[in-house]
Amino acid sequence: NVFLQGMTAADFQALLPYMSIVDLPRGRNLSAVGEDFEYVCLPINCVISLMVTFSDGSEVEVRSVGNEGIVGAGTAILGFNASTATRVQVAGSCVLVQAARIRARSLESRDLMRLTLKFAQANLAQTESSLACRQIHTLDARLARWLLISQDRVGDAQIHLNQDDMGAMTGAQRSSISLTASEFKRAGLIDYSRGRVEILDRAGLHRLACECYETDRARVASLR
């Protein structure tokens, strides 16, 4: 996880007793709107979705976090309650850190405070970029972007994503995702079945992806 890599040795050792590595199954709900964040989540090879839920039960993903980020940065510093629901989109491992301990350590360590605020800003930038992307770029470009991001996060050509997941990431209807994913499959870019996507031609997806993918990569590089 990039956040962990960015910690000083002193901060890491101070927080190590309050860290644990857990395996998170797909679909696991980590928090609901208004709940207190007891733990900050640092994904290793899982992906966490942050969802806004409306009164009719419909949901929209506003951001997702993989090994480049942190879930609960605002809570870690200010003790905010969750403003979105958080759910495991892609199963995998993550590091949980007691939020109260990060908050206390941040008040003692300027380095950790600076690092946490840096990642909080990156979270906001990703949300803004994704919202703009949905308004401007075509679905095939958006889907290519998110498939590449998912592979970067998971570290494997095979990713457990279904059409609902791809719809949430791109802000598209399931029917539109089905058509676009089928086009990708016919073009030899991916293979998919039963909630599993395999990336066959990463270079081809890269050529198709919108400019936001390179923006994403540059943002992650700036955090390292």
Side-chain angles (χ1 to χ4, degrees):
N1 180 277
V2 178
F3 184 88
L4 285 176
Q5 293 173 343
M7 282 187 185
T8 65
D11 288 333
F12 182 83
Q13 289 300 320
L15 292 173
L16 185 58
Y18 311 105
M19 295 183 189
S20 58
I21 298 177
V22 298
D23 293 325
L24 297 176
R26 170 183 164 76
R28 169 86 169 269
N29 291 315
L30 300 180
S31 68
V33 175
E35 286 187 351
D36 182 30
F37 262 114
E38 184 178 357
Y39 294 96
V40 167
C41 180
L42 305 172
I44 299 173
N45 59 2
C46 66
V47 179
I48 310 298
S49 287
L50 282 70
M51 313 290 293
V52 171
T53 304
F54 296 93
S55 58
D56 63 357
S58 60
E59 295 180 320
V60 174
E61 180 185 275
V62 293
R63 183 163 57 88
S64 62
V65 181
N67 59 9
E68 81 292 341
I70 174 175
V71 179
T75 298
I77 295 297
L78 301 172
F80 288 155
N81 290 341
S83 58
T84 57
T86 53
R87 182 179 307 139
V88 180
Q89 183 182 80
V90 178
S93 301
C94 80
V95 174
L96 295 181
V97 190
Q98 293 180 20
R101 295 297 180 175
I102 287 190
R103 188 156 56 249
R105 179 65 185 177
S106 295
L107 295 176
E108 301 171 358
S109 168
R110 180 176 297 180
D111 289 330
L112 185 59
M113 176 67 79
R114 185 184 297 112
L115 180 69
T116 308
L117 290 174
K118 182 179 180 180
F119 274 75
Q121 173 60 32
N123 288 346
L124 177 60
Q126 189 212 57
T127 301
E128 294 171 341
S129 174
S130 294
L131 291 175
C133 179
R134 292 180 183 183
Q135 296 296 319
I136 299 298
H137 297 136
T138 61
L139 176 54
D140 57 348
R142 301 198 312 269
L143 182 57
R145 170 202 180 193
W146 280 110
L147 289 174
L148 291 171
I149 290 174
S150 296
Q151 185 181 22
D152 292 343
R153 289 169 166 173
V154 174
D156 197 329
Q158 294 192 21
I159 312 161
H160 291 282
L161 292 172
N162 59 31
Q163 291 184 2
D164 289 334
D165 295 326
M166 290 186 278
M169 290 188 298
T170 58
Q173 297 292 327
R174 181 186 176 94
S175 57
S176 299
I177 287 292
S178 179
L179 289 173
T180 304
S182 295
E183 291 173 0
F184 281 14
K185 185 174 182 178
R186 286 194 297 270
L189 299 174
I190 64 171
D191 188 21
Y192 76 94
S193 63
R194 296 183 180 180
R196 179 191 59 83
V197 176
E198 180 177 6
I199 295 179
L200 303 176
D201 183 359
R202 181 178 173 87
L205 284 175
H206 199 172
R207 288 191 294 270
L208 188 59
C210 60
E211 63 190 79
C212 298
Y213 177 61
E214 287 303 323
T215 301
D216 296 325
R217 294 182 68 184
R219 186 181 301 118
V220 173
S222 72
L223 293 170
R224 294 187 184 278

